[in-house]
Amino acid sequence: MAKSKKYSLPLLDEFLEGIQSNNYSAETVYNYERDLQTFEDFLNDDINIAFKDLTKRSIIKFKAYLSSTSRLTASHEHGSGQLSSYSINRILSALRSYLKFLIDVDYKTPITADAIKLLKTEKKYGQVPEMQELIKLIEAPTRFETDEPVKLRNRAMLETLFATGMRISELLSLKREQLDDSGRIYVMGKGKKQRFVYLTARA
């Protein structure tokens, strides 16, 4: 049985219903609910104050709470380990969206969404595999597949991905009429943006 909470977030169910009605996915709604429950845990288990008594200093404490490895969280998915700056910013963004909702429905909030500043995120650098590793990956279908048409198809797909930089979703939806005799492929990408990619000719 879930432990009852002394302090709850006002209009939380209405907020979740609102984002659901705006055609957000069930997973997104769940993530918002989980992140805001983490904020409820903070109110109840850390600073022991009601939502109406929040201050900007409370938000500073909330950031420290999220950075702590001993925090109580609403879900095992947050875990008890160190949260990345990206995870913390997602939780803070959920809180900002919730505060904006309260203001939109004329609920008096103790702080505004602008009072919540996101963390500076660490830079991530992509890792480029060695050429021999790429060759092994591309050749894998012809080395391990037993069905001849399947092995040729899978190798052609891998070669197309590496030669053009297409997204996997674009490759899977590729039609013959999108390819012309020059090796140019017409692609409809993310956001319905149109572009051309080119197959690199082999020597």
Side-chain angles (χ1 to χ4, degrees):
M1 180 180 295
K3 183 179 69 173
S4 60
K5 295 179 180 179
K6 180 179 179 181
Y7 303 115
S8 299
L9 295 181
L11 304 183
L12 177 57
D13 289 341
E14 288 85 345
F15 167 72
L16 296 173
E17 289 171 359
I19 59 175
Q20 188 172 24
S21 66
N22 285 329
N23 213 24
Y24 282 73
S25 69
E27 181 180 2
T28 299
V29 175
Y30 167 75
N31 287 336
Y32 270 102
E33 181 178 17
R34 180 188 60 185
D35 292 341
L36 290 171
Q37 284 177 350
T38 296
F39 185 63
E40 273 193 348
D41 288 341
F42 166 72
L43 296 181
N44 285 274
D45 304 318
D46 194 86
I47 59 176
N48 193 33
I49 64 171
F51 175 80
K52 65 181 179 62
D53 297 322
L54 278 176
T55 65
K56 291 181 180 179
R57 292 181 64 185
S58 303
I59 300 303
I60 295 174
K61 291 182 179 180
F62 183 50
K63 289 181 179 179
Y65 173 85
L66 292 175
S67 299
S68 170
T69 57
S70 61
R71 70 190 177 281
L72 297 175
T73 55
S75 168
H76 69 279
E77 292 180 30
H78 283 162
S80 57
Q82 185 77 35
L83 287 178
S84 70
S85 58
Y86 293 96
S87 296
I88 293 175
N89 279 345
R90 192 198 66 239
I91 297 171
L92 294 174
S93 294
L95 182 56
R96 289 174 69 167
S97 296
Y98 168 69
L99 288 170
K100 289 177 182 178
F101 164 79
L102 293 180
I103 293 170
D104 286 343
V105 297
D106 298 324
Y107 187 93
K108 186 177 181 180
T109 60
I111 57 173
T112 65
D114 292 338
I116 301 176
K117 308 299 182 184
L118 300 185
L119 304 184
K120 182 179 180 180
T121 56
E122 61 270 14
K123 290 184 178 179
K124 289 189 175 182
Y125 299 95
Q127 294 184 338
V128 179
E130 298 291 335
M131 179 58 69
Q132 289 303 315
E133 294 176 338
L134 291 177
I135 293 173
K136 286 181 181 180
L137 176 59
I138 291 172
E139 293 178 345
T142 50
R143 293 176 59 191
F144 299 110
E145 293 281 358
T146 56
D147 188 291
E148 189 69 19
V150 172
K151 70 168 64 173
L152 292 176
R153 180 204 64 189
N154 290 349
R155 175 156 181 169
M157 292 175 69
L158 287 172
E159 291 205 21
T160 301
L161 283 175
F162 285 108
T164 65
M166 294 173 65
R167 298 182 179 91
I168 293 176
S169 60
E170 294 169 346
L171 178 65
L172 293 177
S173 61
L174 186 65
K175 301 291 189 298
R176 175 63 184 85
E177 53 268 25
Q178 292 174 248
L179 175 65
D180 66 22
D181 294 337
S182 69
R184 184 174 65 173
I185 302 175
Y186 167 80
V187 175
M188 180 72 77
K190 292 178 69 175
K192 295 186 177 180
K193 293 181 179 178
Q194 302 174 359
R195 75 181 196 283
F196 289 101
V197 295
Y198 295 85
L199 284 169
T200 304
R202 283 194 158 201

